[in-house]
């Protein structure tokens, strides 16, 4: 009787335990890690991952698994500058250690420009670039064009062109645009106006294709685009040639830079300026590093591509005296005074 009673008690206890247990507890760790990888790669904000980590001990442990962190996408690192902290820094370093190239690029940009840790920042960007990360390749090209973090003598225009060409081959529109302007201007490469023009058209075609894939833009502007393409209204097709397409979404790293310096955080040294293109956020690393508008002298740019984009989006209607910039066809012309007193022609 005693053995039977004990057996019945164990059976009832087992049934109660089974009834109270969650199906989640029965999932193997490998399956949970796989699900978390999918979540991290498609996260629309850092909170998507944070909310998982604070749910329970098991999800916290598996959410910090190296495989999960290595799969996190760029939006998972869209940390706001006002929320920057030691814990955010540690999280990015964990992702870097897990082999995440987006984390390498984002932390590299933050360290290079915001925390002024030039060596570590450039090393992290180079680590991402070696794994064919197009934004990292383009950012390193901008560093080479300007000699950022060093002196004017450390500019390497040929290296900048080579990095732009590699990023452009991976589909990076800004790099393709920059390469086109380099060829048109003979900047760091033998001048080839026709080839430069072709690359600019190709960059704008890719930009337009990206805009057309945007459901939000398509829903609001489909009828106007149809009228443009069918000739019912006059509308140039490509952005560098006059079409007002929406500005592309900022990369989380660029948005962080823009917020960091736009929130009143001081730039070290006297006379330092930010790139005037609203989608950039890069600051100078030494006085007079960036190119300045030689007509109005009120704006400056880290790259020829940023100058062209800002002209299209904003500066075209603000630059005075504007007559010196315009040719007979209304396109951008004249000179932009280069960084450290260098003059660069723009066509």
């Amino acid at each position: 009787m005693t053995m039977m009673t004990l057996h019945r008690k164990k059976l009832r206890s087992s049934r109660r335990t089974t009834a109270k247990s969650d199906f989640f507890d029965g999932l193997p760790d490998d399956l949970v890690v796989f699900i978390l990888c999918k979540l991290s790669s498609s996260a629309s904000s850092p909170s998507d991952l944070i909310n998982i980590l604070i749910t329970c001990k098991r999800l916290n442990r598996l959410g910090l698994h190296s495989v999960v962190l290595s799969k996190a996408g760029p939006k998972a690192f869209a940390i706001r500058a006002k929320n920057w902290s030691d814990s955010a820094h540690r999280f990015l370093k964990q992702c870097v250690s897990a082999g995440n190239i987006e984390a390498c690029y984002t932390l590299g940009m933050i360290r290079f420009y915001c925390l002024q840790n030039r060596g570590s920042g450039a090393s992290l960007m180079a680590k991402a670039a070696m794994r064919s990360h197009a934004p990292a390749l383009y950012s390193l090209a901008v560093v080479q064009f300007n000699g950022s973090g060093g002196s004017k003598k450390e500019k390497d225009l040929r290296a900048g062109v080579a990095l732009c060409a590699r990023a452009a081959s991976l589909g990076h529109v800004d790099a393709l645009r920059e390469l086109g302007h380099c060829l048109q201007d003979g900047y760091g490469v033998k001048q080839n106006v026709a080839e430069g023009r072709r690359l600019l058209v190709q960059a704008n075609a890719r930009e337009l294709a990206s805009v057309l894939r945007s459901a939000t833009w398509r829903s609001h502007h489909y009828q106007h685009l149809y009228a443009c393409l069918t000739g019912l209204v006059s509308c140039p097709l490509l952005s560098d040639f006059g079409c007002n397409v929406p500005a592309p979404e900022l990369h989380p790293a660029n948005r962080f830079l823009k917020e960091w310096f736009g929130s009143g955080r001081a730039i070290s040294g006297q006379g330092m300026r930010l790139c005037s293109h609203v989608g950039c956020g890069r600051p100078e690393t030494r006085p007079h590093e960036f190119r300045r508008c030689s007509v109005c002298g009120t704006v400056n740019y880290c790259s020829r591509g940023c100058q062209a984009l800002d002209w299209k989006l904003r500066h075209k209607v603000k630059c005075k005296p504007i007559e010196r910039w315009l040719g007979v066809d209304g396109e951008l012309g004249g000179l932009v005074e280069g960084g450290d007193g260098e003059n660069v022609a723009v066509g």
Side-chain angles (χ1 to χ4, degrees):
M1 288 294 293
T2 303
M3 292 296 297
M4 288 294 294
T5 303
L6 289 174
H7 177 72
R8 287 172 182 171
K9 286 182 178 180
K10 287 182 180 180
L11 184 60
R12 286 195 297 268
S13 176
S14 175
R15 288 173 177 172
R16 285 196 299 269
T17 302
T18 303
K20 291 180 180 179
S21 64
D22 195 318
F23 286 114
F24 173 73
D25 295 333
L27 295 176
D29 283 356
D30 290 348
L31 180 57
V32 177
V33 167
F34 176 79
I35 295 171
L36 291 176
C37 285
K38 292 291 186 180
L39 174 66
S40 66
S41 63
S42 61
S44 59
S45 67
S47 61
D48 288 350
L49 282 180
I50 294 172
N51 290 337
I52 287 295
L53 297 179
I54 63 176
T55 302
C56 66
K57 289 183 179 180
R58 188 186 185 201
L59 284 180
N60 182 275
R61 174 174 58 84
L62 297 179
L64 295 176
H65 193 284
S66 60
V67 177
V68 176
L69 296 181
S70 68
K71 300 294 184 181
K75 290 187 178 180
F77 306 123
I79 301 167
R80 309 307 293 259
K82 64 181 180 180
N83 296 329
W84 180 253
S85 61
D86 289 340
S87 60
H89 199 167
R90 283 195 301 272
F91 174 70
L92 280 171
K93 287 194 292 185
Q94 279 186 280
C95 294
V96 167
S97 299
N100 190 299
I101 60 173
E102 285 291 346
C104 288
Y105 173 62
T106 301
L107 185 56
M109 288 282 281
I110 292 172
R111 283 185 176 177
F112 188 88
Y113 287 108
C114 301
L115 306 183
Q116 298 179 36
N117 189 339
R118 314 293 187 197
S120 175
S123 177
L124 285 171
M125 285 190 279
K127 187 176 181 180
M130 285 188 291
R131 294 176 60 185
S132 300
H133 188 271
L137 286 161
Y138 177 65
S139 290
L140 288 174
V142 173
V143 169
Q144 294 294 333
F145 281 135
N146 295 315
S148 299
S151 66
K152 176 185 176 182
K153 294 180 180 179
E154 294 182 61
K155 290 183 179 181
D156 191 338
L157 304 187
R158 290 184 179 275
V161 170
L163 288 164
C164 264
R166 175 59 178 151
S169 70
L170 295 171
H172 196 276
V173 175
D174 290 340
L176 187 60
R177 178 181 283 109
E178 187 77 22
L179 185 60
H181 284 298
C182 285
L183 284 165
Q184 280 200 145
D185 303 338
Y187 191 66
V189 67
K190 185 178 179 180
Q191 188 174 28
N192 187 332
V193 176
E195 179 65 11
R197 189 76 169 180
R198 185 188 70 81
L199 293 181
L200 287 177
V201 172
Q202 186 178 349
N204 282 267
R206 290 186 182 181
E207 183 182 56
L208 181 62
S210 177
V211 170
L212 293 177
R213 285 194 296 267
S214 169
T216 302
W217 187 88
R218 187 166 60 244
S219 64
H220 287 86
H221 300 276
Y222 174 80
Q223 291 182 344
H224 178 65
L225 177 64
Y226 176 79
C228 292
L229 295 178
T230 55
L232 297 178
V233 299
S234 176
C235 177
L237 180 61
L238 303 176
S239 65
D240 276 337
F241 308 101
C243 184
N244 290 322
V245 298
E249 184 179 359
L250 295 184
H251 189 282
N254 292 94
R255 191 181 71 175
F256 187 94
L257 297 186
K258 185 178 177 182
E259 292 177 350
W260 181 272
F261 295 108
S263 62
R265 295 179 184 267
I267 305 174
S268 66
Q270 299 297 320
M272 301 294 193
R273 305 166 298 180
L274 291 176
C275 179
S276 297
H277 175 40
V278 294
C280 179
R282 291 180 178 87
E284 291 181 317
T285 61
R286 66 177 183 277
H288 311 299
E289 177 183 335
F290 291 166
R291 300 167 182 171
R292 178 175 60 87
C293 175
S294 61
V295 175
C296 65
T298 61
V299 293
N300 42 266
Y301 305 100
C302 69
S303 64
R304 182 62 178 84
C306 278
Q307 187 271 340
L309 284 172
D310 193 57
W311 173 262
K312 173 196 67 165
L313 295 173
R314 183 180 64 91
H315 193 54
K316 183 176 181 178
V317 297
K318 295 182 179 180
C319 186
K320 303 294 181 181
I322 197 169
E323 292 80 8
R324 289 176 57 189
W325 285 87
L326 297 178
V328 293
D329 56 357
E331 289 188 8
L332 178 62
L335 291 175
V336 170
E337 185 178 315
D340 304 305
E342 187 176 302
N343 290 325
V344 182
V346 285

